Amino acid sequence: MRVSVCIDDLGGMMFNHRRVSRDREVIADVCRDTEDGRLYSSEYSASLFAESDIQPIAKADFLEVADDGDLCFVESDALMPYISKITVITVYKWNRRYPSDVKLDIDPEKSGFKLTSVTEFAGYSHEKITKEVYIK
């Protein structure tokens, strides 16, 4: 299973109970990364994909049911319980700091993943978004 997450400079995924991940360019990039697999998300996250060509399979237990090759878009769920299933982690960084109340619960490099690529692109709402891809 592959996962994509959006964080701020301090690893925050949500702030004041709001998502960090609302940017249409990131959503478009996640859709491109879906490839031939399926895209899974929580029901909360599914609305981000309303205008895209790919609609996620929205389930409360999406991290449990996703198979190899599937991509999970994660906004607030813990990844550590699924670390043995995860083969790729894509991290989108906003290059900003928010007062987060939910943080990414793993450090990809400390969890056995290797950083394989770093790219930057302009988002819709953010001038610069950094995309890091980690592979186990």
Side-chain angles (χ1 to χ4, degrees):
M1 157 175 80
R2 300 171 297 132
V3 299
S4 290
V5 300
C6 299
I7 62 172
D8 70 3
D9 286 346
L10 301 174
M13 297 169 67
M14 304 271 298
F15 68 100
N16 296 328
H17 306 286
R18 295 182 306 192
R19 60 176 39 109
V20 170
S21 50
R22 182 180 292 280
D23 186 283
R24 68 177 76 160
E25 296 303 321
V26 168
I27 297 305
D29 196 68
V30 169
C31 289
R32 284 189 294 273
D33 284 350
T34 301
E35 300 170 358
D36 295 330
R38 295 171 292 200
L39 176 62
Y40 282 89
S41 75
S42 67
E43 293 175 15
Y44 172 75
S45 300
S47 63
L48 290 172
F49 297 87
E51 296 180 18
S52 66
D53 293 336
I54 297 175
Q55 296 302 305
I57 300 166
K59 301 176 79 77
D61 62 347
F62 71 103
L63 288 166
E64 292 178 30
V65 300
D67 290 326
D68 290 343
D70 291 337
L71 178 61
C72 294
F73 183 76
V74 180
E75 288 190 282
S76 62
D77 297 87
L79 294 182
M80 188 54 77
Y82 307 99
I83 197 74
S84 64
K85 286 180 66 173
I86 300 171
T87 57
V88 177
I89 300 174
T90 301
V91 179
Y92 295 94
K93 292 185 174 180
W94 298 127
N95 304 299
R96 294 192 178 149
R97 293 181 180 190
Y98 297 112
S100 59
D101 44 24
V102 175
K103 293 188 181 291
L104 182 61
D105 67 331
I106 63 168
D107 178 319
E109 290 183 307
K110 290 180 181 176
S111 300
F113 292 82
K114 181 180 178 185
L115 179 63
T116 60
S117 72
V118 178
T119 55
E120 292 180 347
F121 61 93
Y124 181 79
S125 61
H126 292 74
E127 174 178 312
K128 178 178 86 169
I129 296 172
T130 304
K131 178 182 178 181
E132 298 176 345
V133 178
Y134 297 86
I135 298 178
K136 191 183 278 183

